[in-house]
PDB file of all heavy atoms in Angstrom:
ATOM      1  N   LEU A   1       7.739 -19.224  10.725  1.00 90.00           N
ATOM      2  CA  LEU A   1       6.701 -18.201  10.550  1.00 90.00           C
ATOM      3  C   LEU A   1       7.194 -16.842  11.136  1.00 90.00           C
ATOM      4  O   LEU A   1       7.018 -15.801  10.475  1.00 90.00           O
ATOM      5  CB  LEU A   1       5.481 -18.602  11.262  1.00 90.00           C
ATOM      6  CG  LEU A   1       4.702 -19.879  10.722  1.00 90.00           C
ATOM      7  CD1 LEU A   1       3.563 -20.268  11.616  1.00 90.00           C
ATOM      8  CD2 LEU A   1       4.250 -19.565   9.348  1.00 90.00           C
ATOM      9  N   ALA A   2       7.846 -16.842  12.257  1.00 93.00           N
ATOM     10  CA  ALA A   2       8.369 -15.608  12.927  1.00 93.00           C
ATOM     11  C   ALA A   2       9.427 -14.996  11.926  1.00 93.00           C
ATOM     12  O   ALA A   2       9.454 -13.769  11.738  1.00 93.00           O
ATOM     13  CB  ALA A   2       8.869 -15.849  14.238  1.00 93.00           C
ATOM     14  N   ALA A   3      10.278 -15.856  11.427  1.00 90.00           N
ATOM     15  CA  ALA A   3      11.370 -15.334  10.580  1.00 90.00           C
ATOM     16  C   ALA A   3      10.757 -14.652   9.320  1.00 90.00           C
ATOM     17  O   ALA A   3      11.212 -13.619   8.929  1.00 90.00           O
ATOM     18  CB  ALA A   3      12.272 -16.499  10.106  1.00 90.00           C
ATOM     19  N   ALA A   4       9.687 -15.229   8.814  1.00 88.00           N
ATOM     20  CA  ALA A   4       9.024 -14.742   7.590  1.00 88.00           C
ATOM     21  C   ALA A   4       8.315 -13.416   7.905  1.00 88.00           C
ATOM     22  O   ALA A   4       8.472 -12.453   7.177  1.00 88.00           O
ATOM     23  CB  ALA A   4       8.079 -15.725   7.025  1.00 88.00           C
ATOM     24  N   PHE A   5       7.559 -13.420   9.056  1.00 89.00           N
ATOM     25  CA  PHE A   5       6.741 -12.244   9.320  1.00 89.00           C
ATOM     26  C   PHE A   5       7.419 -11.169  10.031  1.00 89.00           C
ATOM     27  O   PHE A   5       7.023  -9.947   9.978  1.00 89.00           O
ATOM     28  CB  PHE A   5       5.453 -12.619  10.101  1.00 89.00           C
ATOM     29  CG  PHE A   5       4.507 -13.379   9.284  1.00 89.00           C
ATOM     30  CD1 PHE A   5       4.287 -14.722   9.569  1.00 89.00           C
ATOM     31  CD2 PHE A   5       3.796 -12.799   8.256  1.00 89.00           C
ATOM     32  CE1 PHE A   5       3.396 -15.487   8.774  1.00 89.00           C
ATOM     33  CE2 PHE A   5       2.855 -13.532   7.502  1.00 89.00           C
ATOM     34  CZ  PHE A   5       2.610 -14.913   7.759  1.00 89.00           C
ATOM     35  N   MET A   6       8.546 -11.476  10.646  1.00 89.00           N
ATOM     36  CA  MET A   6       9.288 -10.426  11.425  1.00 89.00           C
ATOM     37  C   MET A   6      10.536  -9.944  10.701  1.00 89.00           C
ATOM     38  O   MET A   6      11.221  -9.022  11.245  1.00 89.00           O
ATOM     39  CB  MET A   6       9.664 -10.963  12.834  1.00 89.00           C
ATOM     40  CG  MET A   6       8.488 -11.232  13.663  1.00 89.00           C
ATOM     41  SD  MET A   6       7.379  -9.880  14.060  1.00 89.00           S
ATOM     42  CE  MET A   6       8.390  -9.075  15.330  1.00 89.00           C
ATOM     43  N   GLY A   7      10.758 -10.397   9.555  1.00 87.00           N
ATOM     44  CA  GLY A   7      11.970  -9.934   8.713  1.00 87.00           C
ATOM     45  C   GLY A   7      11.937  -8.406   8.521  1.00 87.00           C
ATOM     46  O   GLY A   7      12.910  -7.784   8.622  1.00 87.00           O
ATOM     47  N   HIS A   8      10.765  -7.900   8.221  1.00 86.00           N
ATOM     48  CA  HIS A   8      10.612  -6.501   7.941  1.00 86.00           C
ATOM     49  C   HIS A   8      10.816  -5.707   9.197  1.00 86.00           C
ATOM     50  O   HIS A   8      11.378  -4.639   9.209  1.00 86.00           O
ATOM     51  CB  HIS A   8       9.227  -6.155   7.397  1.00 86.00           C
ATOM     52  CG  HIS A   8       9.086  -6.640   5.939  1.00 86.00           C
ATOM     53  ND1 HIS A   8       9.644  -5.944   4.861  1.00 86.00           N
ATOM     54  CD2 HIS A   8       8.426  -7.644   5.374  1.00 86.00           C
ATOM     55  CE1 HIS A   8       9.367  -6.507   3.723  1.00 86.00           C
ATOM     56  NE2 HIS A   8       8.626  -7.598   4.001  1.00 86.00           N
ATOM     57  N   PHE A   9      10.357  -6.292  10.405  1.00 91.00           N
ATOM     58  CA  PHE A   9      10.610  -5.679  11.694  1.00 91.00           C
ATOM     59  C   PHE A   9      12.074  -5.523  11.937  1.00 91.00           C
ATOM     60  O   PHE A   9      12.564  -4.466  12.422  1.00 91.00           O
ATOM     61  CB  PHE A   9       9.953  -6.522  12.793  1.00 91.00           C
ATOM     62  CG  PHE A   9      10.183  -5.955  14.210  1.00 91.00           C
ATOM     63  CD1 PHE A   9       9.294  -5.135  14.698  1.00 91.00           C
ATOM     64  CD2 PHE A   9      11.241  -6.411  14.913  1.00 91.00           C
ATOM     65  CE1 PHE A   9       9.439  -4.597  16.046  1.00 91.00           C
ATOM     66  CE2 PHE A   9      11.471  -5.938  16.207  1.00 91.00           C
ATOM     67  CZ  PHE A   9      10.535  -5.038  16.836  1.00 91.00           C
ATOM     68  N   VAL A  10      12.816  -6.563  11.707  1.00 88.00           N
ATOM     69  CA  VAL A  10      14.315  -6.561  11.864  1.00 88.00           C
ATOM     70  C   VAL A  10      14.942  -5.453  10.995  1.00 88.00           C
ATOM     71  O   VAL A  10      15.823  -4.719  11.475  1.00 88.00           O
ATOM     72  CB  VAL A  10      14.923  -7.857  11.429  1.00 88.00           C
ATOM     73  CG1 VAL A  10      16.464  -7.858  11.558  1.00 88.00           C
ATOM     74  CG2 VAL A  10      14.406  -9.037  12.440  1.00 88.00           C
ATOM     75  N   GLU A  11      14.499  -5.341   9.736  1.00 85.00           N
ATOM     76  CA  GLU A  11      15.092  -4.284   8.773  1.00 85.00           C
ATOM     77  C   GLU A  11      14.687  -2.896   9.323  1.00 85.00           C
ATOM     78  O   GLU A  11      15.510  -1.970   9.248  1.00 85.00           O
ATOM     79  CB  GLU A  11      14.567  -4.456   7.429  1.00 85.00           C
ATOM     80  CG  GLU A  11      15.059  -5.817   6.726  1.00 85.00           C
ATOM     81  CD  GLU A  11      16.537  -5.818   6.478  1.00 85.00           C
ATOM     82  OE1 GLU A  11      17.192  -4.743   6.649  1.00 85.00           O
ATOM     83  OE2 GLU A  11      17.109  -6.971   6.309  1.00 85.00           O
ATOM     84  N   LYS A  12      13.461  -2.736   9.854  1.00 89.00           N
ATOM     85  CA  LYS A  12      12.979  -1.388  10.187  1.00 89.00           C
ATOM     86  C   LYS A  12      13.545  -0.934  11.557  1.00 89.00           C
ATOM     87  O   LYS A  12      14.018   0.227  11.684  1.00 89.00           O
ATOM     88  CB  LYS A  12      11.421  -1.453  10.290  1.00 89.00           C
ATOM     89  CG  LYS A  12      10.830  -0.045  10.505  1.00 89.00           C
ATOM     90  CD  LYS A  12       9.316  -0.158  10.543  1.00 89.00           C
ATOM     91  CE  LYS A  12       8.729   1.178  10.921  1.00 89.00           C
ATOM     92  NZ  LYS A  12       7.238   1.089  11.112  1.00 89.00           N
ATOM     93  N   HIS A  13      13.626  -1.845  12.489  1.00 91.00           N
ATOM     94  CA  HIS A  13      14.001  -1.374  13.853  1.00 91.00           C
ATOM     95  C   HIS A  13      15.474  -1.718  14.243  1.00 91.00           C
ATOM     96  O   HIS A  13      15.912  -1.317  15.244  1.00 91.00           O
ATOM     97  CB  HIS A  13      13.107  -2.032  14.902  1.00 91.00           C
ATOM     98  CG  HIS A  13      11.663  -1.528  14.784  1.00 91.00           C
ATOM     99  ND1 HIS A  13      11.304  -0.302  15.214  1.00 91.00           N
ATOM    100  CD2 HIS A  13      10.603  -2.155  14.220  1.00 91.00           C
ATOM    101  CE1 HIS A  13      10.005  -0.118  14.899  1.00 91.00           C
ATOM    102  NE2 HIS A  13       9.558  -1.205  14.364  1.00 91.00           N
ATOM    103  N   GLY A  14      16.177  -2.428  13.364  1.00 90.00           N
ATOM    104  CA  GLY A  14      17.591  -2.697  13.551  1.00 90.00           C
ATOM    105  C   GLY A  14      17.818  -3.935  14.450  1.00 90.00           C
ATOM    106  O   GLY A  14      16.896  -4.432  15.139  1.00 90.00           O
ATOM    107  N   PRO A  15      19.063  -4.420  14.504  1.00 93.00           N
ATOM    108  CA  PRO A  15      19.430  -5.713  15.167  1.00 93.00           C
ATOM    109  C   PRO A  15      19.272  -5.595  16.715  1.00 93.00           C
ATOM    110  O   PRO A  15      18.973  -6.555  17.363  1.00 93.00           O
ATOM    111  CB  PRO A  15      20.843  -5.962  14.804  1.00 93.00           C
ATOM    112  CG  PRO A  15      21.392  -4.630  14.366  1.00 93.00           C
ATOM    113  CD  PRO A  15      20.201  -3.839  13.830  1.00 93.00           C
ATOM    114  N   ARG A  16      19.549  -4.388  17.335  1.00 95.00           N
ATOM    115  CA  ARG A  16      19.503  -4.323  18.803  1.00 95.00           C
ATOM    116  C   ARG A  16      18.105  -4.538  19.313  1.00 95.00           C
ATOM    117  O   ARG A  16      17.883  -5.505  20.168  1.00 95.00           O
ATOM    118  CB  ARG A  16      20.009  -3.042  19.242  1.00 95.00           C
ATOM    119  CG  ARG A  16      20.144  -2.925  20.813  1.00 95.00           C
ATOM    120  CD  ARG A  16      20.767  -1.613  21.221  1.00 95.00           C
ATOM    121  NE  ARG A  16      22.142  -1.522  20.683  1.00 95.00           N
ATOM    122  CZ  ARG A  16      22.666  -0.331  20.273  1.00 95.00           C
ATOM    123  NH1 ARG A  16      21.992   0.844  20.398  1.00 95.00           N
ATOM    124  NH2 ARG A  16      23.891  -0.269  19.847  1.00 95.00           N
ATOM    125  N   LYS A  17      17.164  -3.806  18.742  1.00 95.00           N
ATOM    126  CA  LYS A  17      15.701  -3.931  19.258  1.00 95.00           C
ATOM    127  C   LYS A  17      15.222  -5.376  18.928  1.00 95.00           C
ATOM    128  O   LYS A  17      14.573  -5.949  19.766  1.00 95.00           O
ATOM    129  CB  LYS A  17      14.806  -2.902  18.607  1.00 95.00           C
ATOM    130  CG  LYS A  17      14.891  -1.593  19.257  1.00 95.00           C
ATOM    131  CD  LYS A  17      13.848  -0.652  18.641  1.00 95.00           C
ATOM    132  CE  LYS A  17      13.943   0.780  19.269  1.00 95.00           C
ATOM    133  NZ  LYS A  17      13.251   1.731  18.503  1.00 95.00           N
ATOM    134  N   SER A  18      15.551  -5.846  17.715  1.00 95.00           N
ATOM    135  CA  SER A  18      15.044  -7.171  17.340  1.00 95.00           C
ATOM    136  C   SER A  18      15.654  -8.222  18.229  1.00 95.00           C
ATOM    137  O   SER A  18      14.948  -9.183  18.620  1.00 95.00           O
ATOM    138  CB  SER A  18      15.453  -7.494  15.907  1.00 95.00           C
ATOM    139  OG  SER A  18      15.110  -6.475  15.032  1.00 95.00           O
ATOM    140  N   GLY A  19      16.950  -8.090  18.592  1.00 96.00           N
ATOM    141  CA  GLY A  19      17.586  -9.050  19.490  1.00 96.00           C
ATOM    142  C   GLY A  19      16.980  -9.021  20.855  1.00 96.00           C
ATOM    143  O   GLY A  19      16.807 -10.168  21.435  1.00 96.00           O
ATOM    144  N   ILE A  20      16.571  -7.888  21.305  1.00 97.00           N
ATOM    145  CA  ILE A  20      15.899  -7.774  22.667  1.00 97.00           C
ATOM    146  C   ILE A  20      14.514  -8.463  22.616  1.00 97.00           C
ATOM    147  O   ILE A  20      14.132  -9.147  23.566  1.00 97.00           O
ATOM    148  CB  ILE A  20      15.823  -6.272  23.101  1.00 97.00           C
ATOM    149  CG1 ILE A  20      17.278  -5.800  23.444  1.00 97.00           C
ATOM    150  CG2 ILE A  20      14.941  -6.081  24.374  1.00 97.00           C
ATOM    151  CD1 ILE A  20      17.416  -4.313  23.658  1.00 97.00           C
ATOM    152  N   VAL A  21      13.796  -8.242  21.500  1.00 97.00           N
ATOM    153  CA  VAL A  21      12.450  -8.881  21.384  1.00 97.00           C
ATOM    154  C   VAL A  21      12.644 -10.417  21.416  1.00 97.00           C
ATOM    155  O   VAL A  21      11.876 -11.122  22.036  1.00 97.00           O
ATOM    156  CB  VAL A  21      11.747  -8.406  20.064  1.00 97.00           C
ATOM    157  CG1 VAL A  21      10.511  -9.271  19.814  1.00 97.00           C
ATOM    158  CG2 VAL A  21      11.389  -6.885  20.172  1.00 97.00           C
ATOM    159  N   SER A  22      13.643 -10.879  20.657  1.00 97.00           N
ATOM    160  CA  SER A  22      13.920 -12.320  20.611  1.00 97.00           C
ATOM    161  C   SER A  22      14.259 -12.864  22.002  1.00 97.00           C
ATOM    162  O   SER A  22      13.796 -13.854  22.407  1.00 97.00           O
ATOM    163  CB  SER A  22      15.165 -12.509  19.647  1.00 97.00           C
ATOM    164  OG  SER A  22      15.649 -13.808  19.848  1.00 97.00           O
ATOM    165  N   THR A  23      15.105 -12.103  22.733  1.00 97.00           N
ATOM    166  CA  THR A  23      15.485 -12.459  24.054  1.00 97.00           C
ATOM    167  C   THR A  23      14.332 -12.599  25.011  1.00 97.00           C
ATOM    168  O   THR A  23      14.187 -13.623  25.812  1.00 97.00           O
ATOM    169  CB  THR A  23      16.453 -11.366  24.629  1.00 97.00           C
ATOM    170  OG1 THR A  23      17.562 -11.204  23.821  1.00 97.00           O
ATOM    171  CG2 THR A  23      16.936 -11.749  26.091  1.00 97.00           C
ATOM    172  N   ILE A  24      13.400 -11.637  24.967  1.00 98.00           N
ATOM    173  CA  ILE A  24      12.199 -11.682  25.789  1.00 98.00           C
ATOM    174  C   ILE A  24      11.328 -12.895  25.444  1.00 98.00           C
ATOM    175  O   ILE A  24      10.933 -13.612  26.355  1.00 98.00           O
ATOM    176  CB  ILE A  24      11.379 -10.307  25.679  1.00 98.00           C
ATOM    177  CG1 ILE A  24      12.156  -9.188  26.293  1.00 98.00           C
ATOM    178  CG2 ILE A  24      10.028 -10.435  26.344  1.00 98.00           C
ATOM    179  CD1 ILE A  24      11.713  -7.789  25.911  1.00 98.00           C
TER     180      ILE A  24
END
């Protein structure tokens, strides 16, 4: 579900921010 709904977030904010959100 997260992969589906957050895919656009990854594209918009880039891998660094997305990686940090994942880490948290």
Side-chain angles (χ1 to χ4, degrees):
L1 294 174
F5 289 110
M6 297 298 283
H8 287 285
F9 177 88
V10 173
E11 294 296 343
K12 187 178 174 187
H13 295 285
R16 186 175 300 145
K17 276 186 187 167
S18 306
I20 290 168
V21 170
S22 162
T23 302
I24 291 166

